[in-house]
Amino acid sequence: MAAGGGLAGLLPAQSQLENALLDALTPQEKDNLVYQYLRKVDSWEQDLKVPDFGGDLEWLNTEGPISLYQDLCGKVVVLDFFTYCCINCIHLLPDLHALEHKYCDKVSFMMIFCQHCITEEKGNILRRFSIGDGLLVVGVHSAKFPNEKVLNNIKSAVLRYNITHPVVNDADATLWHELEVSCWPTLVILGPRGNMLFSLVGEGHKDQLFLFTSITLKFYKERGQITDNKIGIKLYKDSLPSSPLLFPGKVTVDKSGDRLVIADTGHHRILVVRKNGQILHTIGGPNSGRKDGRFSEAAFNSPQGVAIKNNIIYVADTENHLIRKIDLELEMVNTVAGIGIQGTDKEGGAKGEEQPISSPWDVIFGSSVSGTHEDDVLWIAMAGTHQVWALMLECGKLPKGSDLKKGTCLRFAGSGNEENRNNAYPHKAAFAQPSGLSLASEEPWNCIFVADSESSTVRTISLKDGAVKHLVGGERDPLNLFAFGDVDEAGINAKLQHPLGVTWDKKRKLLYVADSYNHKIKFVDPKMKNCATLAGTGEASNVLGFSLTQTAFNEPGGLCVEENGRLLYIADTNNHQIKVLDLETKIISMASKTY
């Protein structure tokens, strides 16, 4: 038969395969079904071909541009269409890492050194890999936001998420449109002729990915079509200069104003430091892991949100899908929510350490409706399921909820659908990757502020009745997650671009917003819904200017105001720094570099 163009051409045959796989009882049956499918698709009169990568496209993790039909001829190629802001794309990366570990790590390589590399680039290593098993993963970055089209920003994401395969910047989404891709993430598996064989849309298809890939390699190896040609790899992480901090995601300050807690995300550790830079505690790092115990042995995986009260710190251990508790007096770390595996449950209700959760991104303290203890609830921005959850630190009751036992972990607001939907009933509202939380417990606010990154909005959740309301950004259509920009205005007319952090200044009755992809810090008057720029040029850079609007940030991800309202601390994530903004003098400076 003749095959048409685009992923739609695969749909009839692959749908039949997937239906048959549902009825298969044994692994051998599944292998045989995929093998027979490949025999059919491989015998089509006309291959479903993928257009070659444009010669003018920018590449990362390679010595230069790669041609699909020259460099990758004779390879099984997995194309990963992704955009680096997307939590679903982030969730897929462990599957790709595992696939590469199984099929791509069996390589022979030679290290090529040059004097310029050693002196100018601190020993940067060029590797020329011979892909022994014939598989290569290629990331095709097809940006959602304008900020994500910039190569340096993609480079930061590649470093942050430890992506070691080649990545091409498809800034104009040319290949995306030619293949009729419609969703992030989408995987496309190609045969050794650049012929499309399978597509997998969304996350959660690890078993199919491994099944399809393994049988494809077997099928084409038997036919002698897998070659051993070398692919030049130049990893950006090899030339990354050392830095006291690496992609710090969040920062918070204790009530005394003297201790900062920094989520040093890229170093997989938590730092507790004094304002003068003195390090009090280093917990975890420098490598990722998952381990409770004493500070010297504890391990985290890309931690984000942190909340401190007295000598207790709670941590959103994002890529471990856990909430961790740090006791500074006992110098111990233990897990209080999550099971260490990404969860899909969108309701919860189990005891914390038995409740699967998904990519918690921020945490703050709050108080239950009927509880007798202050700060008896830990609110969680559950980015992975697009919800806001609660962990009961004591027995208590949530708005519109029943009495809950200590340790219960459950959904508070959000249906789990990825939408910008406001509703008087919290379970009927919907968020889109909530990534930052802040609490205004005083009247008339009495709410949680939510930085809802993928809808580019700031929302509120009432602590009286759970109602979810719009504050600034986005637009009225709950399904439109593309209403972003950089506009200082009021309410729906204000525009943000993927905000990741919020913090409440109760002294001035203002909310500060880390407008991350606009590289700005903005402030919102919640009474009038006015939103305006406080600091930042709007361009990604690292400048301490003479004025706040001459100061430059690079994707700031978190911020906090000290209790007396004087200093605003900013996690300037891609600049690997904590900056300090004096809200009275309007002077901005660097926090101490001693850590």
Side-chain angles (χ1 to χ4, degrees), residues 83 85-88 143-146 148 182-184 383 386 416-422 429-434 452-459 470 473-485 495-499 517:
T83 185
C85 69
C86 169
I87 194 67
N88 309 96
K144 171 183 175 179
F145 292 98
E148 294 178 304
S182 61
C183 177
W184 294 287
H386 313 290
N417 297 326
E418 188 176 7
E419 298 173 350
N420 175 22
R421 188 177 298 278
N422 301 301
F431 298 90
Q433 208 170 309
D452 198 35
S453 62
E454 282 293 284
S455 67
S456 295
T457 63
V458 176
R459 323 268 288 282
H470 169 271
E475 71 140 73
R476 290 181 177 84
D477 179 359
L479 300 180
N480 183 2
L481 302 182
F482 289 80
F484 48 78
K495 291 293 177 278
L496 308 169
Q497 189 183 177
H498 198 76
Y517 284 7

Side-chain angles (χ1 to χ4, degrees), residues 362-553:
D362 202 6
V363 288
I364 58 168
F365 288 106
S367 299
S368 65
V369 173
S370 58
T372 57
H373 299 84
E374 185 183 11
D375 295 334
D376 59 352
V377 177
L378 188 74
W379 300 110
I380 306 166
M382 202 70 76
T385 54
H386 313 290
Q387 296 171 313
V388 174
W389 281 47
L391 174 65
M392 304 303 297
L393 304 180
E394 301 289 345
C395 296
K397 185 176 181 180
L398 301 181
K400 290 190 175 178
S402 55
D403 291 328
L404 297 167
K405 293 181 180 180
K406 179 180 177 179
T408 305
C409 186
L410 75 166
R411 176 265 304 259
F412 173 54
S415 65
N417 297 326
E418 188 176 7
E419 298 173 350
N420 175 22
R421 188 177 298 278
N422 301 301
N423 199 288
Y425 295 91
H427 291 181
K428 293 185 178 181
F431 298 90
Q433 208 170 309
S435 302
L437 301 176
S438 189
L439 185 76
S441 57
E442 67 271 26
E443 296 292 346
W445 320 114
N446 199 14
C447 71
I448 301 170
F449 294 104
V450 182
D452 198 35
S453 62
E454 282 293 284
S455 67
S456 295
T457 63
V458 176
R459 323 268 288 282
T460 64
I461 307 174
S462 170
L463 291 174
K464 293 180 180 178
D465 57 15
V468 177
K469 297 180 181 179
H470 169 271
L471 186 59
V472 294
E475 71 140 73
R476 290 181 177 84
D477 179 359
L479 300 180
N480 183 2
L481 302 182
F482 289 80
F484 48 78
D486 184 6
V487 180
D488 289 352
E489 258 284 5
I492 208 82
N493 295 320
K495 291 293 177 278
L496 308 169
Q497 189 183 177
H498 198 76
L500 289 173
V502 284
T503 191
W504 176 244
D505 181 351
K506 62 183 178 182
K507 178 179 178 180
R508 297 171 183 82
K509 304 293 188 288
L510 294 175
L511 181 75
Y512 301 109
V513 181
D515 191 4
S516 305
Y517 284 7
N518 282 325
H519 315 289
K520 288 184 174 183
I521 305 302
K522 295 185 176 180
F523 66 94
V524 177
D525 174 357
K527 184 176 181 180
M528 304 303 295
K529 292 192 173 184
N530 289 325
C531 177
T533 298
L534 174 66
T537 64
E539 298 294 330
S541 189
N542 187 15
V543 177
L544 293 176
F546 292 108
S547 69
L548 294 184
T549 53
Q550 291 177 318
T551 295
F553 305 95

Side-chain angles (χ1 to χ4, degrees), residues 340-354:
I341 300 171
Q342 181 193 341
T344 58
D345 185 358
K346 295 181 179 180
E347 294 185 5
K351 191 173 181 180
E353 55 268 34
E354 299 172 359

